[in-house]
Amino acid sequence: MRYLNAVVKESMRVLPVVTLIGKTCGDKPLQLGPYKLPAHITIGVPLFAIHNSDANWERPTEFIPERWDKVPVESFVVGQMPPLGVSEGCDKDSAASTAAKAAGERSEVRFMPFSDGPRSCVGQTLGRIEVAAVLAALLGTFRVELAPAMGGREAIQAREATMITLQLRGAMGMRMVLHPRWLP
Ligand code: HEM
């Protein structure tokens, strides 16, 4: 389940369901790093770009569940993480202290598939459990393959489109072939 959780996080990093969120400033102007944002202005927070930028991630286009090895299972908001392959000092950290550390690095958050702060996803606990439970049940019963009619991974990527949520253009959806594991 720990590895499954890492796969879920890595999937949500590379392909966040919600690709863009909007936040509106309050009654006062806001200083955000070098930028002064006027009151009441709405800004877009591009989760897809934050999760896929090489400013934030080593080898961002590669699917590497192991990069979540040292992140506590419960952390779905993450700031700085040790570089890939570097784990000195992390083993002796308890999950709770690492989670607290991750929470303390909120100024450098670079992973937040459920958003962050007081208006983050209210259904995220249910969402996380649902995703893991459905995947565990499905993958325990079937071997899953992309249907040949989908044209392979490149064809899928060419049809990716963001309409606030990440979707595939066209009416085909994502067709899969399920091979029952109990059959030879
Ligand atoms: C994997 C599944 C899910 C993902 C990735 C997800 C992601 C998000 C994100 C990114 C936001 C912030 C949107 C914004 O700021 O514009 C959000 C808000 C919200 N989500 Fe989810 N969500 C998921 C599942 C759920 C479920 C299962 C529920 C309800 C049972 C839910 C209910 C809500 C609600 C009500 C809000 C608005 C919260 C507010 O504005 O205060 N979500 N979600």
Side-chain angles (χ1 to χ4, degrees):
M1 288 305 280
R2 201 177 165 82
Y3 190 72
L4 180 72
N5 190 273
V7 168
V8 169
K9 278 185 191 160
E10 184 67 346
S11 306
M12 289 187 177
R13 182 189 69 78
V14 179
L15 298 170
V17 178
V18 180
T19 51
L20 178 72
I21 57 182
K23 294 289 164 201
T24 305
C25 294
D27 292 335
K28 294 184 192 147
L30 176 74
Q31 192 70 36
L32 190 67
Y35 306 104
K36 188 165 190 179
L37 307 177
H40 307 298
I41 199 171
T42 299
I43 58 167
V45 183
L47 295 187
F48 187 97
I50 292 168
H51 287 189
N52 283 280
S53 163
D54 58 11
N56 292 332
W57 299 92
E58 269 180 59
R59 293 147 59 191
T61 55
E62 290 177 43
F63 189 83
I64 310 175
E66 289 74 16
R67 66 169 96 235
W68 300 97
D69 276 354
K70 301 295 169 195
V71 176
V73 170
E74 65 274 20
S75 295
F76 272 73
V77 174
V78 169
Q80 284 192 322
M81 279 163 49
L84 284 176
V86 176
S87 60
E88 277 98 329
C90 291
D91 282 332
K92 58 182 181 307
D93 281 353
S94 70
S97 71
T98 315
K101 201 165 152 241
E105 286 163 351
R106 275 162 189 264
S107 61
E108 295 190 17
V109 165
R110 58 198 184 121
F111 177 71
M112 45 173 162
F114 296 98
S115 183
D116 188 21
R119 296 304 295 266
S120 66
C121 177
V122 290
Q124 60 185 285
T125 306
L126 176 63
R128 290 177 212 173
I129 293 170
E130 268 180 346
V131 170
V134 169
L135 272 180
L138 201 62
L139 297 178
T141 317
F142 300 101
R143 195 168 51 78
V144 181
E145 223 178 17
L146 190 62
M150 300 307 298
R153 196 174 163 197
E154 290 70 28
I156 296 276
Q157 276 174 332
R159 285 173 49 221
E160 270 171 19
T162 178
M163 290 153 225
I164 306 293
T165 55
L166 193 60
Q167 301 179 24
L168 287 182
R169 277 189 297 273
M172 279 182 83
M174 178 88 82
R175 295 190 188 169
M176 312 294 288
V177 182
L178 303 184
H179 303 278
R181 288 193 186 273
W182 62 88
L183 294 179

